[in-house]
mmCIF file of all heavy atoms in Angstrom:
data_model
loop_
_atom_site.group_PDB
_atom_site.id
_atom_site.type_symbol
_atom_site.label_atom_id
_atom_site.label_comp_id
_atom_site.label_asym_id
_atom_site.label_seq_id
_atom_site.Cartn_x
_atom_site.Cartn_y
_atom_site.Cartn_z
ATOM 1 N N ARG A 48 2.253 -16.879 13.110
ATOM 2 C CA ARG A 48 2.390 -15.622 12.364
ATOM 3 C C ARG A 48 1.429 -15.575 11.177
ATOM 4 O O ARG A 48 0.912 -14.507 10.835
ATOM 5 C CB ARG A 48 3.836 -15.438 11.895
ATOM 6 C CG ARG A 48 4.805 -15.191 13.052
ATOM 7 C CD ARG A 48 6.236 -15.139 12.570
ATOM 8 N NE ARG A 48 6.435 -14.045 11.633
ATOM 9 C CZ ARG A 48 6.709 -12.784 12.015
ATOM 10 N NH1 ARG A 48 6.824 -12.497 13.286
ATOM 11 N NH2 ARG A 48 6.866 -11.849 11.123
ATOM 12 N N LEU A 53 0.636 -11.713 10.096
ATOM 13 C CA LEU A 53 1.930 -11.046 9.985
ATOM 14 C C LEU A 53 2.706 -11.535 8.768
ATOM 15 O O LEU A 53 3.658 -10.904 8.334
ATOM 16 C CB LEU A 53 2.766 -11.270 11.252
ATOM 17 C CG LEU A 53 2.201 -10.639 12.518
ATOM 18 C CD1 LEU A 53 3.002 -11.055 13.740
ATOM 19 C CD2 LEU A 53 2.182 -9.121 12.393
ATOM 20 N N VAL A 71 -2.193 -10.666 19.744
ATOM 21 C CA VAL A 71 -0.977 -11.470 19.615
ATOM 22 C C VAL A 71 -0.058 -11.219 20.803
ATOM 23 O O VAL A 71 0.169 -10.082 21.186
ATOM 24 C CB VAL A 71 -0.227 -11.135 18.310
ATOM 25 C CG1 VAL A 71 0.956 -12.068 18.131
ATOM 26 C CG2 VAL A 71 -1.161 -11.236 17.118
ATOM 27 N N PHE A 73 3.777 -12.147 21.854
ATOM 28 C CA PHE A 73 5.001 -12.689 21.284
ATOM 29 C C PHE A 73 5.855 -13.326 22.377
ATOM 30 O O PHE A 73 5.576 -13.211 23.566
ATOM 31 C CB PHE A 73 5.796 -11.573 20.605
ATOM 32 C CG PHE A 73 5.072 -10.930 19.460
ATOM 33 C CD1 PHE A 73 4.310 -9.780 19.653
ATOM 34 C CD2 PHE A 73 5.146 -11.466 18.197
ATOM 35 C CE1 PHE A 73 3.645 -9.182 18.599
ATOM 36 C CE2 PHE A 73 4.480 -10.875 17.136
ATOM 37 C CZ PHE A 73 3.733 -9.734 17.332
ATOM 38 N N GLU A 75 8.765 -12.337 23.215
ATOM 39 C CA GLU A 75 9.270 -11.239 24.035
ATOM 40 C C GLU A 75 8.094 -10.297 24.301
ATOM 41 O O GLU A 75 7.154 -10.271 23.522
ATOM 42 C CB GLU A 75 10.360 -10.445 23.315
ATOM 43 C CG GLU A 75 11.304 -11.239 22.458
ATOM 44 C CD GLU A 75 10.745 -11.487 21.063
ATOM 45 O OE1 GLU A 75 9.837 -10.741 20.656
ATOM 46 O OE2 GLU A 75 11.192 -12.429 20.405
ATOM 47 N N ARG A 77 7.782 -7.082 23.985
ATOM 48 C CA ARG A 77 7.636 -6.074 22.928
ATOM 49 C C ARG A 77 6.776 -4.899 23.370
ATOM 50 O O ARG A 77 5.855 -4.490 22.653
ATOM 51 C CB ARG A 77 7.047 -6.686 21.659
ATOM 52 C CG ARG A 77 7.880 -7.819 21.106
ATOM 53 C CD ARG A 77 7.552 -8.095 19.672
ATOM 54 N NE ARG A 77 8.255 -9.272 19.189
ATOM 55 C CZ ARG A 77 8.165 -9.732 17.948
ATOM 56 N NH1 ARG A 77 7.402 -9.123 17.086
ATOM 57 N NH2 ARG A 77 8.844 -10.792 17.581
ATOM 58 N N LEU A 78 7.070 -4.356 24.531
ATOM 59 C CA LEU A 78 6.362 -3.159 24.989
ATOM 60 C C LEU A 78 7.084 -1.945 24.424
ATOM 61 O O LEU A 78 8.269 -1.997 24.134
ATOM 62 C CB LEU A 78 6.366 -3.103 26.515
ATOM 63 C CG LEU A 78 5.727 -4.298 27.214
ATOM 64 C CD1 LEU A 78 5.969 -4.218 28.719
ATOM 65 C CD2 LEU A 78 4.243 -4.362 26.928
ATOM 66 N N MET A 79 6.342 -0.842 24.260
ATOM 67 C CA MET A 79 6.965 0.384 23.784
ATOM 68 C C MET A 79 7.726 1.006 24.955
ATOM 69 O O MET A 79 7.102 1.373 25.955
ATOM 70 C CB MET A 79 5.908 1.372 23.267
ATOM 71 C CG MET A 79 4.993 0.796 22.195
ATOM 72 S SD MET A 79 5.899 0.313 20.712
ATOM 73 C CE MET A 79 4.968 -1.130 20.215
ATOM 74 N N PRO A 80 9.044 1.128 24.831
ATOM 75 C CA PRO A 80 9.828 1.588 25.986
ATOM 76 C C PRO A 80 9.497 3.014 26.415
ATOM 77 O O PRO A 80 9.772 3.392 27.547
ATOM 78 C CB PRO A 80 11.283 1.481 25.518
ATOM 79 C CG PRO A 80 11.244 1.308 24.055
ATOM 80 C CD PRO A 80 9.895 0.757 23.689
ATOM 81 N N TRP A 81 8.905 3.813 25.517
ATOM 82 C CA TRP A 81 8.639 5.214 25.852
ATOM 83 C C TRP A 81 7.259 5.403 26.480
ATOM 84 O O TRP A 81 6.901 6.506 26.851
ATOM 85 C CB TRP A 81 8.766 6.087 24.611
ATOM 86 C CG TRP A 81 7.879 5.663 23.491
ATOM 87 C CD1 TRP A 81 6.583 6.030 23.299
ATOM 88 C CD2 TRP A 81 8.207 4.774 22.422
ATOM 89 N NE1 TRP A 81 6.089 5.409 22.186
ATOM 90 C CE2 TRP A 81 7.064 4.641 21.613
ATOM 91 C CE3 TRP A 81 9.370 4.082 22.075
ATOM 92 C CZ2 TRP A 81 7.032 3.834 20.485
ATOM 93 C CZ3 TRP A 81 9.338 3.287 20.951
ATOM 94 C CH2 TRP A 81 8.190 3.176 20.161
ATOM 95 N N PHE A 90 -2.351 0.519 24.171
ATOM 96 C CA PHE A 90 -1.709 0.847 22.885
ATOM 97 C C PHE A 90 -2.570 0.508 21.664
ATOM 98 O O PHE A 90 -2.672 1.298 20.734
ATOM 99 C CB PHE A 90 -0.362 0.126 22.786
ATOM 100 C CG PHE A 90 0.440 0.517 21.586
ATOM 101 C CD1 PHE A 90 1.062 1.753 21.533
ATOM 102 C CD2 PHE A 90 0.567 -0.337 20.505
ATOM 103 C CE1 PHE A 90 1.801 2.132 20.429
ATOM 104 C CE2 PHE A 90 1.300 0.037 19.390
ATOM 105 C CZ PHE A 90 1.920 1.268 19.353
ATOM 106 N N GLY A 91 -3.198 -0.659 21.684
ATOM 107 C CA GLY A 91 -3.968 -1.084 20.512
ATOM 108 C C GLY A 91 -5.339 -0.440 20.416
ATOM 109 O O GLY A 91 -6.010 -0.549 19.394
ATOM 110 N N GLY A 93 -6.016 2.887 20.935
ATOM 111 C CA GLY A 93 -6.004 4.287 20.519
ATOM 112 C C GLY A 93 -6.326 5.251 21.644
ATOM 113 O O GLY A 93 -6.411 6.446 21.447
ATOM 114 N N TYR A 124 7.581 2.453 33.844
ATOM 115 C CA TYR A 124 8.032 2.197 32.474
ATOM 116 C C TYR A 124 8.480 0.741 32.355
ATOM 117 O O TYR A 124 8.929 0.152 33.343
ATOM 118 C CB TYR A 124 9.167 3.157 32.104
ATOM 119 C CG TYR A 124 8.630 4.529 31.794
ATOM 120 C CD1 TYR A 124 8.465 5.471 32.805
ATOM 121 C CD2 TYR A 124 8.250 4.874 30.507
ATOM 122 C CE1 TYR A 124 7.935 6.725 32.538
ATOM 123 C CE2 TYR A 124 7.721 6.125 30.236
ATOM 124 C CZ TYR A 124 7.564 7.040 31.244
ATOM 125 O OH TYR A 124 7.024 8.275 30.971
ATOM 126 N N PRO A 125 8.357 0.167 31.160
ATOM 127 C CA PRO A 125 8.683 -1.254 30.987
ATOM 128 C C PRO A 125 10.062 -1.636 31.532
ATOM 129 O O PRO A 125 10.222 -2.692 32.130
ATOM 130 C CB PRO A 125 8.626 -1.435 29.474
ATOM 131 C CG PRO A 125 7.656 -0.427 29.007
ATOM 132 C CD PRO A 125 7.828 0.758 29.917
ATOM 133 N N SER A 126 11.058 -0.752 31.321
ATOM 134 C CA SER A 126 12.410 -1.103 31.759
ATOM 135 C C SER A 126 12.510 -1.232 33.272
ATOM 136 O O SER A 126 13.488 -1.750 33.787
ATOM 137 C CB SER A 126 13.398 -0.057 31.254
ATOM 138 O OG SER A 126 13.036 1.212 31.740
ATOM 139 N N GLN A 127 11.496 -0.730 33.989
ATOM 140 C CA GLN A 127 11.527 -0.833 35.444
ATOM 141 C C GLN A 127 10.899 -2.132 35.941
ATOM 142 O O GLN A 127 10.880 -2.386 37.134
ATOM 143 C CB GLN A 127 10.777 0.359 36.060
ATOM 144 C CG GLN A 127 11.415 1.686 35.730
ATOM 145 C CD GLN A 127 10.539 2.861 36.152
ATOM 146 O OE1 GLN A 127 9.414 3.005 35.708
ATOM 147 N NE2 GLN A 127 11.074 3.699 37.026
ATOM 148 N N SER A 129 10.198 -6.453 35.851
ATOM 149 C CA SER A 129 10.836 -7.741 35.594
ATOM 150 C C SER A 129 10.246 -8.342 34.319
ATOM 151 O O SER A 129 9.218 -7.887 33.815
ATOM 152 C CB SER A 129 10.574 -8.668 36.760
ATOM 153 O OG SER A 129 9.202 -8.997 36.795
ATOM 154 N N GLY A 130 10.916 -9.388 33.811
ATOM 155 C CA GLY A 130 10.447 -10.036 32.587
ATOM 156 C C GLY A 130 9.026 -10.563 32.725
ATOM 157 O O GLY A 130 8.208 -10.414 31.810
ATOM 158 N N GLN A 133 6.599 -7.701 32.619
ATOM 159 C CA GLN A 133 6.486 -7.173 31.254
ATOM 160 C C GLN A 133 5.573 -8.064 30.413
ATOM 161 O O GLN A 133 4.757 -7.586 29.638
ATOM 162 C CB GLN A 133 7.866 -7.108 30.592
ATOM 163 C CG GLN A 133 8.754 -6.030 31.158
ATOM 164 C CD GLN A 133 10.057 -5.895 30.384
ATOM 165 O OE1 GLN A 133 10.144 -6.270 29.230
ATOM 166 N NE2 GLN A 133 11.064 -5.358 31.037
ATOM 167 N N ARG A 140 -2.238 -5.954 27.264
ATOM 168 C CA ARG A 140 -2.344 -5.158 26.040
ATOM 169 C C ARG A 140 -3.178 -5.901 24.986
ATOM 170 O O ARG A 140 -4.022 -5.311 24.314
ATOM 171 C CB ARG A 140 -0.943 -4.867 25.496
ATOM 172 C CG ARG A 140 -0.955 -4.141 24.165
ATOM 173 C CD ARG A 140 0.437 -3.782 23.718
ATOM 174 N NE ARG A 140 1.235 -4.960 23.410
ATOM 175 C CZ ARG A 140 2.521 -4.920 23.080
ATOM 176 N NH1 ARG A 140 3.160 -3.764 23.051
ATOM 177 N NH2 ARG A 140 3.169 -6.030 22.809
ATOM 178 N N TYR A 144 -7.465 -4.961 23.649
ATOM 179 C CA TYR A 144 -7.887 -4.855 22.258
ATOM 180 C C TYR A 144 -9.218 -5.571 22.034
ATOM 181 O O TYR A 144 -9.820 -5.485 20.980
ATOM 182 C CB TYR A 144 -6.764 -5.478 21.415
ATOM 183 C CG TYR A 144 -6.872 -5.349 19.926
ATOM 184 C CD1 TYR A 144 -7.060 -4.121 19.322
ATOM 185 C CD2 TYR A 144 -6.731 -6.476 19.124
ATOM 186 C CE1 TYR A 144 -7.121 -4.020 17.946
ATOM 187 C CE2 TYR A 144 -6.785 -6.384 17.740
ATOM 188 C CZ TYR A 144 -6.989 -5.146 17.158
ATOM 189 O OH TYR A 144 -7.041 -5.052 15.804
ATOM 190 N N ALA A 157 10.925 -17.538 28.038
ATOM 191 C CA ALA A 157 12.120 -16.875 28.552
ATOM 192 C C ALA A 157 12.091 -16.717 30.074
ATOM 193 O O ALA A 157 13.008 -16.161 30.654
ATOM 194 C CB ALA A 157 12.273 -15.507 27.897
ATOM 195 N N ASP A 159 11.849 -17.960 34.145
ATOM 196 C CA ASP A 159 12.357 -19.073 34.947
ATOM 197 C C ASP A 159 11.219 -20.000 35.355
ATOM 198 O O ASP A 159 10.037 -19.670 35.211
ATOM 199 C CB ASP A 159 13.080 -18.541 36.187
ATOM 200 C CG ASP A 159 12.147 -17.846 37.130
ATOM 201 O OD1 ASP A 159 11.453 -18.534 37.896
ATOM 202 O OD2 ASP A 159 12.072 -16.603 37.086
ATOM 203 N N THR A 162 8.371 -18.576 37.827
ATOM 204 C CA THR A 162 7.579 -17.519 37.199
ATOM 205 C C THR A 162 6.705 -18.111 36.108
ATOM 206 O O THR A 162 5.539 -17.762 35.955
ATOM 207 C CB THR A 162 8.499 -16.462 36.568
ATOM 208 O OG1 THR A 162 9.519 -16.153 37.492
ATOM 209 C CG2 THR A 162 7.736 -15.216 36.229
ATOM 210 N N LYS B 146 10.535 -5.618 15.495
ATOM 211 C CA LYS B 146 9.627 -6.365 16.373
ATOM 212 C C LYS B 146 8.528 -5.470 16.941
ATOM 213 O O LYS B 146 7.415 -5.912 17.167
ATOM 214 C CB LYS B 146 10.418 -6.981 17.528
ATOM 215 C CG LYS B 146 11.377 -8.043 17.041
ATOM 216 C CD LYS B 146 12.023 -8.747 18.194
ATOM 217 C CE LYS B 146 12.710 -9.995 17.686
ATOM 218 N NZ LYS B 146 13.212 -10.809 18.778
ATOM 219 N N LEU B 147 8.876 -4.195 17.179
ATOM 220 C CA LEU B 147 7.851 -3.275 17.667
ATOM 221 C C LEU B 147 6.864 -2.945 16.541
ATOM 222 O O LEU B 147 5.671 -2.788 16.777
ATOM 223 C CB LEU B 147 8.487 -1.993 18.196
ATOM 224 C CG LEU B 147 9.358 -2.145 19.446
ATOM 225 C CD1 LEU B 147 9.833 -0.777 19.921
ATOM 226 C CD2 LEU B 147 8.616 -2.852 20.560
ATOM 227 N N GLU B 149 5.894 -4.941 14.303
ATOM 228 C CA GLU B 149 4.967 -6.074 14.190
ATOM 229 C C GLU B 149 3.826 -5.976 15.195
ATOM 230 O O GLU B 149 2.719 -6.451 14.926
ATOM 231 C CB GLU B 149 5.715 -7.387 14.393
ATOM 232 C CG GLU B 149 6.399 -7.859 13.131
ATOM 233 C CD GLU B 149 7.029 -9.226 13.284
ATOM 234 O OE1 GLU B 149 6.916 -9.847 14.373
ATOM 235 O OE2 GLU B 149 7.638 -9.682 12.322
ATOM 236 N N VAL B 150 4.116 -5.370 16.342
ATOM 237 C CA VAL B 150 3.051 -5.180 17.327
ATOM 238 C C VAL B 150 1.948 -4.316 16.717
ATOM 239 O O VAL B 150 0.762 -4.649 16.807
ATOM 240 C CB VAL B 150 3.604 -4.519 18.615
ATOM 241 C CG1 VAL B 150 2.476 -4.159 19.564
ATOM 242 C CG2 VAL B 150 4.593 -5.450 19.298
ATOM 243 N N GLN B 152 1.404 -3.888 13.550
ATOM 244 C CA GLN B 152 0.813 -4.666 12.455
ATOM 245 C C GLN B 152 -0.259 -5.614 12.999
ATOM 246 O O GLN B 152 -1.339 -5.759 12.415
ATOM 247 C CB GLN B 152 1.922 -5.469 11.791
ATOM 248 C CG GLN B 152 1.771 -5.654 10.309
ATOM 249 C CD GLN B 152 2.887 -6.554 9.776
ATOM 250 O OE1 GLN B 152 4.008 -6.520 10.274
ATOM 251 N NE2 GLN B 152 2.579 -7.360 8.787
ATOM 252 N N ALA B 153 0.048 -6.244 14.134
ATOM 253 C CA ALA B 153 -0.910 -7.179 14.729
ATOM 254 C C ALA B 153 -2.184 -6.457 15.166
ATOM 255 O O ALA B 153 -3.259 -7.043 15.189
ATOM 256 C CB ALA B 153 -0.275 -7.892 15.920
ATOM 257 N N PHE B 154 -2.060 -5.167 15.508
ATOM 258 C CA PHE B 154 -3.248 -4.390 15.883
ATOM 259 C C PHE B 154 -3.915 -3.767 14.655
ATOM 260 O O PHE B 154 -4.820 -2.951 14.793
ATOM 261 C CB PHE B 154 -2.880 -3.274 16.868
ATOM 262 C CG PHE B 154 -2.643 -3.758 18.265
ATOM 263 C CD1 PHE B 154 -1.491 -3.398 18.953
ATOM 264 C CD2 PHE B 154 -3.562 -4.570 18.907
ATOM 265 C CE1 PHE B 154 -1.271 -3.840 20.241
ATOM 266 C CE2 PHE B 154 -3.345 -5.009 20.195
ATOM 267 C CZ PHE B 154 -2.195 -4.649 20.865
ATOM 268 N N PHE B 156 -2.626 -1.628 12.474
ATOM 269 C CA PHE B 156 -2.266 -0.236 12.188
ATOM 270 C C PHE B 156 -1.935 -0.085 10.712
ATOM 271 O O PHE B 156 -1.284 -0.932 10.122
ATOM 272 C CB PHE B 156 -1.027 0.180 12.988
ATOM 273 C CG PHE B 156 -1.288 0.453 14.442
ATOM 274 C CD1 PHE B 156 -2.497 0.135 15.026
ATOM 275 C CD2 PHE B 156 -0.304 1.034 15.226
ATOM 276 C CE1 PHE B 156 -2.725 0.372 16.374
ATOM 277 C CE2 PHE B 156 -0.522 1.279 16.574
ATOM 278 C CZ PHE B 156 -1.727 0.953 17.146
ATOM 279 N N ARG B 160 -0.437 5.369 11.028
ATOM 280 C CA ARG B 160 -0.473 5.115 12.467
ATOM 281 C C ARG B 160 0.810 4.436 12.927
ATOM 282 O O ARG B 160 1.314 4.705 14.010
ATOM 283 C CB ARG B 160 -1.670 4.233 12.815
ATOM 284 C CG ARG B 160 -2.859 5.047 13.282
ATOM 285 C CD ARG B 160 -3.997 4.140 13.612
ATOM 286 N NE ARG B 160 -4.253 4.085 15.029
ATOM 287 C CZ ARG B 160 -5.105 3.220 15.565
ATOM 288 N NH1 ARG B 160 -5.719 2.342 14.814
ATOM 289 N NH2 ARG B 160 -5.309 3.232 16.863
ATOM 290 N N ARG B 164 2.731 6.305 15.819
ATOM 291 C CA ARG B 164 2.673 5.692 17.138
ATOM 292 C C ARG B 164 3.922 4.883 17.491
ATOM 293 O O ARG B 164 4.183 4.627 18.655
ATOM 294 C CB ARG B 164 1.439 4.780 17.253
ATOM 295 C CG ARG B 164 0.153 5.460 16.877
ATOM 296 C CD ARG B 164 -0.733 5.893 18.022
ATOM 297 N NE ARG B 164 -0.495 5.358 19.318
ATOM 298 C CZ ARG B 164 -1.325 4.556 19.950
ATOM 299 N NH1 ARG B 164 -2.408 4.159 19.374
ATOM 300 N NH2 ARG B 164 -1.046 4.160 21.174
ATOM 301 N N ILE B 165 4.669 4.418 16.486
ATOM 302 C CA ILE B 165 5.826 3.585 16.801
ATOM 303 C C ILE B 165 7.136 4.193 16.302
ATOM 304 O O ILE B 165 8.054 4.414 17.087
ATOM 305 C CB ILE B 165 5.652 2.161 16.219
ATOM 306 C CG1 ILE B 165 4.356 1.550 16.745
ATOM 307 C CG2 ILE B 165 6.846 1.291 16.598
ATOM 308 C CD1 ILE B 165 4.027 0.193 16.178
ATOM 309 N N PRO B 168 7.901 8.106 17.875
ATOM 310 C CA PRO B 168 8.340 8.114 19.278
ATOM 311 C C PRO B 168 9.611 7.310 19.511
ATOM 312 O O PRO B 168 10.429 7.676 20.351
ATOM 313 C CB PRO B 168 7.163 7.520 20.045
ATOM 314 C CG PRO B 168 6.204 7.015 19.058
ATOM 315 C CD PRO B 168 6.521 7.614 17.731
ATOM 316 N N GLY B 169 9.781 6.237 18.734
ATOM 317 C CA GLY B 169 10.995 5.443 18.898
ATOM 318 C C GLY B 169 12.243 6.195 18.470
ATOM 319 O O GLY B 169 13.342 5.921 18.944
ATOM 320 N N VAL B 244 12.063 11.673 28.709
ATOM 321 C CA VAL B 244 11.702 10.957 29.936
ATOM 322 C C VAL B 244 12.630 9.757 30.113
ATOM 323 O O VAL B 244 13.851 9.899 30.096
ATOM 324 C CB VAL B 244 10.230 10.484 29.934
ATOM 325 C CG1 VAL B 244 9.620 10.685 31.326
ATOM 326 C CG2 VAL B 244 9.385 11.240 28.932
ATOM 327 N N ARG B 245 12.042 8.586 30.248
ATOM 328 C CA ARG B 245 12.908 7.414 30.359
ATOM 329 C C ARG B 245 12.813 6.593 29.086
ATOM 330 O O ARG B 245 13.104 5.429 29.058
ATOM 331 C CB ARG B 245 12.483 6.572 31.551
ATOM 332 C CG ARG B 245 13.205 6.966 32.813
ATOM 333 C CD ARG B 245 12.361 6.668 34.020
ATOM 334 N NE ARG B 245 11.293 7.650 34.166
ATOM 335 C CZ ARG B 245 10.479 7.677 35.209
ATOM 336 N NH1 ARG B 245 10.608 6.787 36.157
ATOM 337 N NH2 ARG B 245 9.533 8.582 35.287
ATOM 338 N N GLY B 246 12.332 7.278 28.042
ATOM 339 C CA GLY B 246 12.040 6.583 26.793
ATOM 340 C C GLY B 246 13.209 5.827 26.215
ATOM 341 O O GLY B 246 13.036 4.791 25.588
ATOM 342 N N ALA B 248 15.494 4.348 27.830
ATOM 343 C CA ALA B 248 15.971 3.275 28.703
ATOM 344 C C ALA B 248 15.979 1.953 27.945
ATOM 345 O O ALA B 248 15.064 1.644 27.205
ATOM 346 C CB ALA B 248 15.070 3.166 29.935
ATOM 347 N N GLU B 249 17.024 1.205 28.174
ATOM 348 C CA GLU B 249 17.281 0.085 27.279
ATOM 349 C C GLU B 249 16.423 -1.132 27.558
ATOM 350 O O GLU B 249 15.867 -1.298 28.628
ATOM 351 C CB GLU B 249 18.771 -0.310 27.374
ATOM 352 C CG GLU B 249 19.159 -0.999 28.660
ATOM 353 C CD GLU B 249 19.029 -0.110 29.884
ATOM 354 O OE1 GLU B 249 19.658 0.946 29.931
ATOM 355 O OE2 GLU B 249 18.284 -0.489 30.811
ATOM 356 N N ALA B 251 13.578 -2.598 26.982
ATOM 357 C CA ALA B 251 12.188 -2.904 27.275
ATOM 358 C C ALA B 251 11.501 -3.649 26.132
ATOM 359 O O ALA B 251 10.504 -4.304 26.333
ATOM 360 C CB ALA B 251 11.436 -1.621 27.576
ATOM 361 N N SER B 252 12.052 -3.564 24.934
ATOM 362 C CA SER B 252 11.435 -4.303 23.844
ATOM 363 C C SER B 252 11.789 -5.782 23.951
ATOM 364 O O SER B 252 11.294 -6.596 23.196
ATOM 365 C CB SER B 252 11.883 -3.747 22.506
ATOM 366 O OG SER B 252 13.277 -3.820 22.409
ATOM 367 N N GLY B 253 12.633 -6.090 24.883
ATOM 368 C CA GLY B 253 12.771 -7.487 25.233
ATOM 369 C C GLY B 253 13.927 -8.234 24.615
ATOM 370 O O GLY B 253 13.921 -9.446 24.579
ATOM 371 N N ASN B 256 16.524 -8.010 28.024
ATOM 372 C CA ASN B 256 15.986 -7.861 29.365
ATOM 373 C C ASN B 256 14.924 -8.901 29.682
ATOM 374 O O ASN B 256 13.842 -8.586 30.119
ATOM 375 C CB ASN B 256 15.394 -6.448 29.486
ATOM 376 C CG ASN B 256 15.214 -6.067 30.930
ATOM 377 O OD1 ASN B 256 15.703 -6.764 31.812
ATOM 378 N ND2 ASN B 256 14.513 -4.998 31.177
ATOM 379 N N GLN B 257 15.223 -10.133 29.407
ATOM 380 C CA GLN B 257 14.224 -11.154 29.659
ATOM 381 C C GLN B 257 14.577 -11.979 30.877
ATOM 382 O O GLN B 257 15.726 -12.230 31.148
ATOM 383 C CB GLN B 257 14.132 -12.111 28.478
ATOM 384 C CG GLN B 257 13.463 -11.478 27.293
ATOM 385 C CD GLN B 257 13.457 -12.434 26.140
ATOM 386 O OE1 GLN B 257 13.569 -13.634 26.346
ATOM 387 N NE2 GLN B 257 13.360 -11.916 24.952
ATOM 388 N N GLY B 258 13.560 -12.420 31.510
ATOM 389 C CA GLY B 258 13.743 -13.506 32.452
ATOM 390 C C GLY B 258 14.191 -13.127 33.838
ATOM 391 O O GLY B 258 14.379 -14.012 34.646
ATOM 392 N N PHE B 259 14.377 -11.854 34.168
ATOM 393 C CA PHE B 259 14.644 -11.557 35.579
ATOM 394 C C PHE B 259 13.319 -11.255 36.235
ATOM 395 O O PHE B 259 12.468 -10.632 35.650
ATOM 396 C CB PHE B 259 15.540 -10.350 35.794
ATOM 397 C CG PHE B 259 16.475 -10.035 34.694
ATOM 398 C CD1 PHE B 259 16.309 -8.877 33.969
ATOM 399 C CD2 PHE B 259 17.529 -10.881 34.384
ATOM 400 C CE1 PHE B 259 17.175 -8.572 32.963
ATOM 401 C CE2 PHE B 259 18.392 -10.568 33.376
ATOM 402 C CZ PHE B 259 18.211 -9.406 32.664
ATOM 403 N N VAL B 260 13.200 -11.655 37.429
ATOM 404 C CA VAL B 260 11.962 -11.359 38.136
ATOM 405 C C VAL B 260 12.300 -10.584 39.392
ATOM 406 O O VAL B 260 13.283 -10.859 40.028
ATOM 407 C CB VAL B 260 11.221 -12.638 38.502
ATOM 408 C CG1 VAL B 260 10.059 -12.320 39.414
ATOM 409 C CG2 VAL B 260 10.725 -13.310 37.253
#
Side-chain angles (χ1 to χ4, degrees):
Chain A
R48 292 175 62 85
L53 295 173
V71 185
F73 298 94
E75 323 84 20
R77 301 199 186 181
L78 301 172
M79 305 298 145
W81 56 86
F90 187 73
Y124 283 89
S126 59
Q127 298 171 300
S129 68
Q133 289 186 23
R140 175 176 66 185
Y144 187 53
D159 66 80
T162 315
Chain B
K146 294 187 167 187
L147 294 185
E149 277 186 2
V150 173
Q152 214 184 326
F154 284 129
F156 284 10
R160 263 180 110 189
R164 308 257 344 247
I165 304 176
V244 220
R245 269 152 284 186
E249 72 295 302
S252 58
N256 198 10
Q257 287 177 22
F259 333 113
V260 171

